[in-house]
Amino acid sequence: MADVIRVPNAKIALSTASVYPERTPDAFELAARLGYDGVEIMVGADPVSQDIDVIERLSDHYQVPVLAIHAPCLLVTQRVWGRDPWAKLVKAQKAAERLGASTVVVHPPFRWQRDYARDFETGLARMRDETDITFAVENMFPLRARGNDVVPYSPGWNPIDYDFPQVTLDLSHTAVSGSDAMEMAAKLGDRLAHLHLADGIGVTNKDEHLVPGRGNQPCAQMLERLANTGYSGLVVLEINTRKAASRTERIDDLAEGLAFARLHLAAST
């Protein structure tokens, strides 16, 4: 009897960050054109990414659902949606609820956000009790300076070490940190709720976000593992296309990433 191919219910989304320096509306257009299941909104410097009314209209116009919200946690977005990190998470939660997204992606606090860091685990637990939205804490990476690791996050860069019920696993970040991505996924088990699909070769202090298959991370094996375990979270293509020589090249990269995900997010039974 021939093998039967089983494809999980997991949806494949395009991160709006993947089209930079194009903007959020372009991400909706390209997600619709290429056949993504939806988008993850990276809330950032682009004013459209911050405006839930406009995002709602874009989603309706292109018939592309918003599947996740990436809260503004980056160094370059410290003032987006205000400076209070808890207020940012509440706003991300409200945006997700209004737009029908299932997940808010959040980074661990920076070490200098002392009050936020001290209450981070208990605060997230409290928010989870108030909503059906999943708060998926993302793995980050240490920085290396003069042969030493410098960790700018508290309680740490690796959410596997802490009691977060849901985690985002980013395969570009595993490259930077030198982590074994498959081992991390195995340790996470059902806590793995969200995947940022990208690649990297492990350049020191460089978060590469390559098209999957162009680095040394186990992107194909990870997707196949998720298919075998009946994964029902999101797979989000989060790649860097800012150096694309043309819009055509950017679109080709986004199409290649989607094809890679669809090919490997399947399991023989």
Side-chain angles (χ1 to χ4, degrees):
M1 182 180 293
D3 287 345
V4 175
I5 301 300
R6 182 178 66 243
V7 179
N9 293 326
K11 293 181 177 180
I12 302 171
L14 176 65
S15 169
T16 57
S18 297
V19 307
Y20 182 84
E22 296 190 57
R23 300 176 67 190
T24 303
D26 302 299
F28 276 94
E29 176 213 336
L30 294 175
R33 184 194 301 190
L34 296 173
Y36 280 85
D37 296 318
V39 298
E40 174 174 297
I41 301 294
M42 172 70 81
V43 180
D46 177 5
V48 173
S49 73
Q50 306 171 28
D51 192 323
I52 305 309
D53 292 332
V54 176
I55 290 171
E56 189 171 47
R57 291 197 294 271
L58 286 168
S59 180
D60 290 342
H61 175 74
Y62 287 105
Q63 291 297 288
V64 171
V66 176
L67 300 176
I69 302 290
H70 194 309
C73 312
L74 303 172
L75 275 174
V76 295
T77 60
Q78 288 296 287
R79 297 187 180 183
V80 173
W81 281 357
R83 303 189 71 169
D84 180 347
W86 285 117
K88 292 173 188 261
L89 285 192
V90 170
K91 193 160 185 174
Q93 173 194 325
K94 298 302 182 185
E97 290 171 342
R98 176 174 164 185
L99 295 166
S102 61
T103 303
V104 168
V105 178
V106 58
H107 291 181
F110 291 110
R111 298 190 74 86
W112 55 84
Q113 296 174 310
R114 294 181 182 177
D115 292 342
Y116 179 48
R118 183 186 62 242
D119 298 331
F120 186 60
E121 291 183 74
T122 56
L124 276 186
R126 183 172 60 250
M127 293 182 72
R128 283 193 299 270
D129 290 340
E130 299 169 354
T131 181
D132 292 331
I133 300 298
T134 293
F135 294 91
V137 182
E138 186 169 357
N139 64 304
M140 300 304 293
F141 48 87
L143 302 175
R144 292 184 173 87
R146 298 179 181 177
N148 297 313
D149 283 354
V150 178
V151 180
Y153 303 100
S154 178
W157 63 267
N158 188 353
I160 291 178
D161 297 333
Y162 302 94
D163 190 25
F164 302 121
Q166 289 92 23
V167 169
T168 296
L169 184 58
D170 185 301
L171 297 183
S172 177
H173 296 174
T174 58
V176 188
S177 65
S179 304
D180 183 327
M182 298 301 290
E183 181 181 352
M184 291 176 75
K187 288 181 177 179
L188 283 170
D190 292 342
R191 296 169 62 205
L192 175 51
H194 202 77
L195 180 73
H196 278 168
L197 179 62
D199 214 332
I201 59 175
V203 177
T204 301
N205 295 341
K206 186 174 181 181
D207 190 10
E208 298 164 282
H209 284 277
L210 303 178
V211 174
R214 298 186 188 176
N216 59 21
Q217 293 303 287
C219 298
Q221 299 96 312
M222 182 66 67
L223 291 169
E224 291 161 7
R225 182 187 190 281
L226 296 181
N228 275 305
T229 56
Y231 177 74
S232 59
L234 287 175
V235 173
V236 180
L237 187 78
E238 190 183 76
I239 61 172
N240 183 346
T241 65
R242 69 188 67 185
K243 292 184 179 179
S246 65
R247 191 169 204 252
T248 298
E249 185 175 305
R250 174 171 297 111
I251 293 170
D252 287 346
D253 284 347
L254 299 177
E256 181 179 331
L258 177 59
F260 185 100
R262 295 239 187 265
L263 175 64
H264 294 288
L265 192 62
S268 296
T269 61

